[in-house]
Amino acid sequence: MKILYFSDTFLPKIDGVAISMKNFAEALAERGHEFLICCPRYGEGDFDRMGDRIRLERFRSGYLPSYPDIKVVLPSPSKIKRAIKEFQPDLVHIHTPGLMGVYGINATEKYGIPSIGTYHTLMSEQDMYLSFYRLLKLDKLFMRIGKLNKKIKIKDLVKFEKFDKFNIRKKIILKITNNLYDRCDLIISPSHLIKKQLEEFGLKKPVAVISNGLDLSQFKGSPKTLTESPKLLHVGRISYEKNCDVIINSFKLILEKIPTATLTIIGDGPALPSLKVQAQKLGIDHAITFTGFIDRAELPKHYPKYDLFLTASTMETQGLVILESVACGLPAVGVDSFAIPELVHDGVNGFIAKPFDVKDIAEKTIRILHDPEMYASFSKESLKISQSHEMKACVDRMEEVYKSVAEQKNKKKKRSLLNTIFSLDPFGIMG
């Protein structure tokens, strides 16, 4: 088969969507399938091939002012038309609901190509990046003030954003996102909990559950035992919606009970500077290590060095870093939100705390670290839980779904205002 990917993010930018796309494309390419990936142009580090069967078509893009890591892809109808004409895809797979996703689904309707959309990201949970508060860079202004005035707490910068659980902005984003995915022939969810959530959100198209999977020959560990100086770990994009500030506040309470504990935060992102200031103001920066970005190829070596994984993210559709940590035998403490309970089984391989509840996260972490028998049992269970996400089985399932959807030949073409706009740019000047 020939599969055409559309995504608003891809390598060299590292995130869960890019990693999932890369893993599936490479595994399926080894089985003889061909891929064309339409994605943003980043500049330095860009490449246009991944082996003989995977080619990339990059599109000009700009930055979202409130979050420079998010690329806004400029429209290029003629470039997409040319790519489809030359590649002749059997199937289009939409990986993001941003502009590339919109361009992709418009193309499937215009040319009658079967389509699939993976719900990688809960866009309604990232609405803080569309607020005037973020767009006007007031978070940076307050951070500068915070360096001078110790009475100002970093966590106050986004408090009103976090606890505004379902505002009108979220509803608008959710409606737009769902409308896009409902134009696909099939929707893929990385977890059963997210599938249930999507159905409650009102999505009408069938939803198949396929884990993003993990190569357990790389991410592996053995049952762990508790140490006197526990090393806690957080991994991922250091962005505001990941709520890493909540983890730091919880760690302050953990240190009061376990003074020998340390916390390592692996990753880079826009929230990193404010987190460093927060750690200094709390007086716990001596016990926290911010490593910055670590190449993904090196990550399997790092997880086994730690004792317990912490996350306060409230918007995970699966949580690849959580899966990687449990595959390496780490117990985990997460929050009761979306797909996290599917990897952190409460009372089995860790605990589930209340979202944004600093004290609850700390108390449940301390409970594990004060009980060697519980800790050892949780570690063994983490290894067991990871087995159901083995990459080969996930690739098998994805291949089955691709074949099933691609069989919908001669799909009816649609003409709409969007597709009329999509047909503009006859000279390809926006490519």
Side-chain angles (χ1 to χ4, degrees), residues 14-74:
I14 304 293
D15 59 22
V17 177
I19 291 166
S20 173
M21 290 170 60
K22 173 183 178 294
N23 288 345
F24 277 110
E26 288 182 334
L28 288 166
E30 290 180 0
R31 302 184 182 189
H33 303 292
E34 294 182 49
F35 288 82
L36 175 61
I37 301 174
C38 291
C39 60
R41 184 183 301 161
Y42 293 94
E44 186 177 354
D46 282 353
F47 52 90
D48 59 10
R49 295 206 73 90
M50 293 166 53
D52 295 334
R53 294 192 177 96
I54 305 173
R55 185 170 65 83
L56 282 73
E57 189 73 60
R58 296 199 181 264
F59 290 73
R60 235 189 305 184
S61 58
Y63 295 102
L64 189 65
S66 55
Y67 193 176
D69 283 3
I70 293 180
K71 300 288 270 182
V72 179
V73 180
L74 301 176

Side-chain angles (χ1 to χ4, degrees), residues 107-156:
T108 67
E109 292 176 347
K110 177 177 174 61
Y111 299 110
I113 307 169
S115 61
I116 287 175
T118 294
Y119 217 111
H120 287 286
T121 305
L122 293 159
M123 296 302 294
S124 60
E125 300 307 303
Q126 297 198 28
D127 70 317
M128 64 177 67
Y129 297 117
L130 301 180
S131 72
F132 288 114
Y133 173 75
R134 293 284 178 210
L135 291 172
L136 294 174
K137 304 288 188 181
L138 291 183
D139 54 332
K140 292 186 177 180
L141 173 62
F142 275 93
M143 197 185 80
R144 291 193 189 101
I145 296 173
K147 290 180 180 179
L148 301 174
N149 187 342
K150 293 183 180 294
K151 293 182 180 179
I152 296 177
K153 295 182 179 180
I154 296 299
K155 65 179 181 179
D156 292 335

